[in-house]
Amino acid sequence: MAVHWGYIGEKGPAHWCDDFPDANGNRQSPIDIVTKDAKVDSSLGPLNINYSSARSTCTEVINNGHTFQVNAQSSDTNLSGGPLSHNYRLAQFHCHWGSNDGQGSEHTVDGRPYDAELHLVHWNTDLFQSVGDALPKDKGLAVLTAFLKVGQENTGWSKLVALLNHIKCKDDKCCIEEGFDPSVLLPENKKDYWTYEGSLTTPPCHESVRFIIFREPVEISPHQIASLRDLLSHKQNEQPACGCQEHLSDNYRPTMPLNGRVVTASFQEQ
């Protein structure tokens, strides 16, 4: 039977380690990125991001009770280069956000959070046979991360927002008939990023993730972020479970200790 977890109360992040021991590990995520301590690595080459095949295979969006999730069934390499020594394939993408502006991202930069954070989760196809096999293993996953801030309307997010209207409640699903290209959700500047070794930011918190976090945030409008905050954490005609708020907001884990890890940067701070 699946163990229930949430973001508040006795099922919140401070108690995840009771049921998921990896949550007490030494390379947990998210973290606060202290820019003056990030080590510039001139050997970090450009990222190779190719979602041309993923467009046709991002065919389903689901409300899983913690966030929205778009599932992908790509058969091609979607991510390589940069800090990665292997090829990775997109499995899914999802988001974390706050109930109000000024909070919501999981990672922070010099102690400052953004309004939301997008995670594109990829698995290592060179070393593993499936995403399930890769999930708990070192070098199993690579997560492209984009910060979101409230500002201008974002055309790339418009189609995604329209889909969210069909997954209001937990376990609601919606087919994406024409597919979806995740690259429209990413910032224009993909050369500047921070990277470090971390973990899943939700249970079971396996320490298997290489995070690649874009420096440039993506703007979305107040209406677009409101569509995230309108999602519900419970099934239709049911009440929220213990540890869950009615609406899917503040679904972010607090930052975790760095524990001697080094954050590297592909760019020099100005």
Side-chain angles (χ1 to χ4, degrees), residues 95-111:
C95 201
H96 304 266
W97 60 89
S99 55
N100 298 291
D101 296 353
Q103 64 190 50
S105 68
E106 298 208 297
H107 292 85
T108 56
V109 180
D110 292 328

Side-chain angles (χ1 to χ4, degrees), residues 126-255:
D126 290 346
L127 300 182
F128 306 104
Q129 298 300 311
S130 68
V131 63
D133 185 25
L135 195 68
K137 309 290 181 52
D138 186 44
K139 296 182 174 60
L141 304 178
V143 176
L144 279 185
T145 302
F147 292 120
L148 306 178
K149 68 177 183 179
V150 175
Q152 299 296 313
E153 186 87 8
N154 187 302
T155 55
W157 273 81
S158 295
K159 181 178 179 181
L160 183 58
V161 164
L163 293 168
L164 298 183
N165 293 328
H166 301 287
I167 59 162
K168 186 81 169 179
C169 298
K170 180 182 177 181
D171 293 343
D172 287 351
K173 297 180 181 181
C174 178
C175 292
I176 309 174
E177 294 182 359
E178 298 177 0
F180 189 86
D181 181 358
S183 64
V184 301
L185 307 177
L186 300 178
E188 289 187 18
N189 178 4
K190 301 177 185 63
K191 294 180 180 179
D192 294 352
Y193 58 84
W194 298 283
T195 182
Y196 77 100
E197 291 187 338
S199 73
L200 299 174
T201 65
T202 57
C205 301
H206 293 316
E207 296 181 332
S208 56
V209 181
R210 165 62 69 170
F211 272 97
I212 301 169
I213 304 169
F214 294 115
R215 180 192 193 188
E216 179 183 283
V218 174
E219 286 193 26
I220 62 175
S221 71
H223 167 74
Q224 289 173 322
I225 199 166
S227 69
L228 302 180
R229 295 169 180 162
D230 285 343
L231 296 176
L232 300 176
S233 67
H234 54 88
K235 297 181 181 180
Q236 191 171 7
N237 300 322
E238 290 187 0
Q239 295 298 313
C242 176
C244 291
Q245 302 177 86
E246 180 179 8
H247 287 88
L248 286 181
S249 288
D250 300 326
N251 56 351
Y252 57 94
R253 188 188 194 187
T255 55

